[in-house]
Amino acid sequence: MTKLLALVIVGFMVIQLIKPIGWPGLKRRGDFWKLALLAMAAISLAAVLGHLT
């Protein structure tokens, strides 16, 4: 699950670098780092939830 999540978010980051997505907070190409923070948080949450179950 975490590998798929990582691939999806990396895909969003590449798209953001080529052409900004335009979502609130993601209007400029340089905002791809926000997606990296989101990826780290989401993968950490998935790992914690995986260990708890």
Side-chain angles (χ1 to χ4, degrees):
M1 182 66 178
T2 57
K3 290 179 183 179
L4 178 64
L5 184 60
L7 287 175
V8 168
I9 294 180
V10 166
F12 275 126
M13 289 174 67
V14 169
I15 291 169
Q16 178 71 19
L17 283 172
I18 296 170
K19 181 180 182 221
I21 297 172
W23 294 343
L26 298 173
K27 302 252 184 221
R28 295 178 292 155
R29 288 183 181 170
D31 290 336
F32 73 96
W33 64 270
K34 294 176 185 176
L35 291 170
L37 288 178
L38 175 69
M40 287 192 308
I43 291 171
S44 297
L45 181 66
V48 167
L49 291 175
H51 286 290
L52 291 177
T53 59

